[in-house]
Amino acid sequence: MSAATAVVKGLVLSRPVTFVTGNAKKLEEVRAILGNSIPFQSLKLDLPELQGEPEDISKEKAKIAAKEVNGPVLVEDTCLCFNALKGLPGPYIKWFLQKIGHEGLNNLLMAYEDKSAYALCIFSLALGPNMEPITFLGKTAGKIVPAKGPNDFGWDPVFQPDGYNETYAEMPKEEKNKISHRSKALSLVKSHFAEAGYTFQTDTTIAELDHGNPI
Amino acid sequence: MSAATAVVKGLVLSRPVTFVTGNAKKLEEVRAILGNSIPFQSLKLDLPELQGEPEDISKEKAKIAAKEVNGPVLVEDTCLCFNALKGLPGPYIKWFLQKIGHEGLNNLLMAYEDKSAYALCIFSLALGPNMEPITFLGKTAGKIVPAKGPNDFGWDPVFQPDGYNETYAEMPKEEKNKISHRSKALSLVKSHFAEAGYTFQTDTTIAELDHGNPI
């Protein structure tokens, strides 16, 4: 083991954390918030998308990814949950957006006065294969409104956070990043890394093969 | 190889087909329709439930099951697809029923005059691990109505098949079985077995499961 391993506390991770995404926008957002606080690489993996409760889906995905990568992974899931529909479409929002669009999402709530909703972001960190993932939940409350603003990022035009007269889509990016479900979850991820004091072996000769020695 | 194997045409399957289900009602229905036409056993497997298009979900599940069982498997999936919602909730109907109930399902269509829907049943047959599954689709058209009839089988009380004034839940079982999405899919499964002429090895270790030569 290297000298670095001997002097620091906390778990030793043999490789940088792999953030599993094929979405350049998400990668950019994660990089902007995590900065250089942890060694970090990204990888597009074709992981199965599961049904179930949001947290379970995310954990299961992290487990599968950690096996594939054979190292520490971070995975991300986003849900848009309508309170009148008891949290649905939730993890299935992607399909609803794709099939019925912004107007269709509003129509789902036609029968209800309650248009409240929350945007939920879950990051799951699995430190290695067969390790129980740790989850980080970021939640932003708001309501579903007829689409307003640029239509270039998913359901952002129909989600208006509480306390704002603008939808996510209408807000300046810096403003949205201050209150977004994703930034909340990511700041929890960042705090976790700061507190856990993991050591990353960054020696290029061992980066690929050595799986480290958990203390 | 047995003598029987040598003289018959068609693929030789070394084991009975495993129907993956933990649902006694489904098993009973499948047994009633397939009868003794194929050697057949059932098994409850904890398979991942995937997101995606109905046929893809079913095929993927069959592939996973065939690997776990290491033999031929039959899996079943049911969707309830609302035309106004472009086929959704579809494969996610289970979660919608669980969270928002029969009234909630009706409410999803409040914004639309079109209450038409179809019940979709998909069986996928994977003859072994790493073999591309064959799918059998049964579809019954109808509409979503306020719940009527006994409330003991999922969304049956809100689905009224075209040409009937009764919901699935109100129909006598024999009547429902004549027109149901599941019976349509199963009769395709049955025809497939009759036409494909698979041979099942009837070695003594599985003799108790053998229901005779399909040809």
Side-chain angles (χ1 to χ4, degrees):
Chain A
M1 288 294 118
S2 69
T5 305
V7 294
V8 292
K9 287 179 184 169
L11 198 64
V12 178
L13 301 177
S14 61
R15 306 161 105 192
V17 174
T18 297
F19 176 51
V20 181
T21 189
N23 184 321
K25 284 212 175 199
K26 284 190 182 174
L27 176 60
E28 189 190 315
E29 211 169 337
V30 170
R31 273 202 200 286
I33 291 172
L34 289 186
N36 293 331
S37 62
I38 55 160
F40 165 76
Q41 63 192 8
S42 78
L43 181 68
K44 187 178 186 313
L45 273 184
D46 191 20
L47 297 175
E49 282 184 281
L50 298 167
Q51 298 187 27
E53 295 301 327
E55 212 169 331
D56 297 336
I57 291 175
S58 179
K59 280 187 176 178
E60 203 51 45
K61 192 159 94 172
K63 284 183 192 173
I64 295 167
K67 269 187 200 150
E68 290 218 14
V69 168
N70 196 25
V73 296
L74 187 64
V75 302
E76 189 261 359
D77 281 282
T78 298
C79 302
L80 185 60
C81 306
F82 297 2
N83 288 316
L85 304 182
K86 314 285 182 200
L88 292 169
Y92 317 113
I93 186 62
K94 168 183 153 184
W95 307 103
F96 279 79
L97 177 65
Q98 193 183 95
K99 304 263 185 190
I100 62 174
H102 293 142
E103 197 182 342
L105 292 180
N106 274 271
N107 283 345
L108 290 181
L109 292 175
M110 180 73 88
Y112 304 93
E113 270 188 46
D114 179 7
K115 312 290 185 192
S116 70
Y118 55 94
L120 178 64
C121 179
I122 306 179
F123 279 88
S124 286
L125 172 70
L127 294 171
N130 307 315
M131 292 184 74
E132 188 59 22
I134 309 161
T135 56
F136 308 91
L137 272 70
K139 204 169 161 175
T140 298
K143 62 180 174 184
I144 302 303
V145 299
K148 291 188 292 176
N151 186 10
D152 64 347
F153 196 53
W155 42 261
D156 274 15
V158 298
F159 183 72
Q160 185 163 305
D162 286 347
Y164 289 80
N165 284 319
E166 299 163 300
T167 62
Y168 263 4
E170 292 175 297
M171 297 170 74
K173 201 174 169 184
E174 310 71 45
E175 192 68 18
K176 181 193 161 191
N177 279 350
K178 276 185 207 156
I179 60 145
S180 82
H181 55 302
R182 188 170 292 113
S183 67
K184 287 176 189 167
L186 265 177
S187 73
L188 294 177
V189 174
K190 193 175 181 177
S191 304
H192 173 79
F193 277 106
E195 285 160 20
Y198 300 130
T199 306
F200 294 89
Q201 294 182 353
T202 54
D203 179 324
T204 51
T205 60
I206 58 168
E208 289 307 311
L209 294 169
D210 177 33
H211 294 161
N213 200 3
I215 304 175
Chain B
M1 291 283 132
S2 69
T5 304
V7 295
V8 294
K9 287 178 185 171
L11 198 61
V12 177
L13 301 178
S14 59
R15 306 164 91 187
V17 174
T18 296
F19 175 50
V20 180
T21 189
N23 186 322
K25 283 211 177 200
K26 284 189 182 174
L27 176 60
E28 188 191 317
E29 211 168 337
V30 170
R31 273 201 199 284
I33 292 172
L34 288 187
N36 292 331
S37 61
I38 56 160
F40 165 75
Q41 62 192 11
S42 79
L43 181 68
K44 186 180 187 314
L45 273 183
D46 191 20
L47 297 175
E49 281 183 281
L50 298 166
Q51 298 187 28
E53 295 301 327
E55 211 169 331
D56 297 337
I57 292 175
S58 179
K59 278 187 177 177
E60 202 50 46
K61 191 159 95 172
K63 284 183 190 171
I64 295 168
K67 270 187 198 147
E68 290 217 17
V69 167
N70 195 27
V73 296
L74 187 65
V75 301
E76 188 262 0
D77 281 282
T78 299
C79 302
L80 184 61
C81 305
F82 296 4
N83 288 316
L85 303 182
K86 313 285 183 202
L88 292 170
Y92 316 113
I93 186 61
K94 169 185 152 182
W95 307 103
F96 279 78
L97 177 65
Q98 192 183 96
K99 305 260 188 196
I100 63 174
H102 293 143
E103 197 182 341
L105 292 179
N106 273 272
N107 283 345
L108 290 179
L109 292 175
M110 181 74 87
Y112 304 94
E113 269 187 48
D114 178 7
K115 313 290 184 191
S116 70
Y118 55 94
L120 178 64
C121 179
I122 306 178
F123 279 87
S124 285
L125 171 70
L127 294 171
N130 307 315
M131 292 185 75
E132 188 60 21
I134 310 159
T135 56
F136 308 90
L137 273 70
K139 205 169 162 176
T140 298
K143 63 180 174 183
I144 302 302
V145 298
K148 292 187 292 176
N151 186 12
D152 64 346
F153 196 53
W155 42 260
D156 274 14
V158 298
F159 183 72
Q160 184 163 304
D162 286 349
Y164 288 81
N165 283 320
E166 299 164 299
T167 62
Y168 263 3
E170 292 174 297
M171 297 170 73
K173 202 174 169 185
E174 310 70 48
E175 191 69 18
K176 181 192 161 192
N177 279 350
K178 275 186 209 156
I179 60 146
S180 82
H181 53 304
R182 187 170 294 113
S183 68
K184 286 176 188 166
L186 265 176
S187 75
L188 294 176
V189 174
K190 191 175 181 177
S191 303
H192 173 78
F193 277 106
E195 284 160 20
Y198 301 130
T199 306
F200 295 88
Q201 290 181 2
T202 57
D203 102 37
T204 51
T205 60
I206 56 167
E208 71 278 8
L209 297 161
D210 175 40
H211 298 299
N213 195 323
I215 306 182

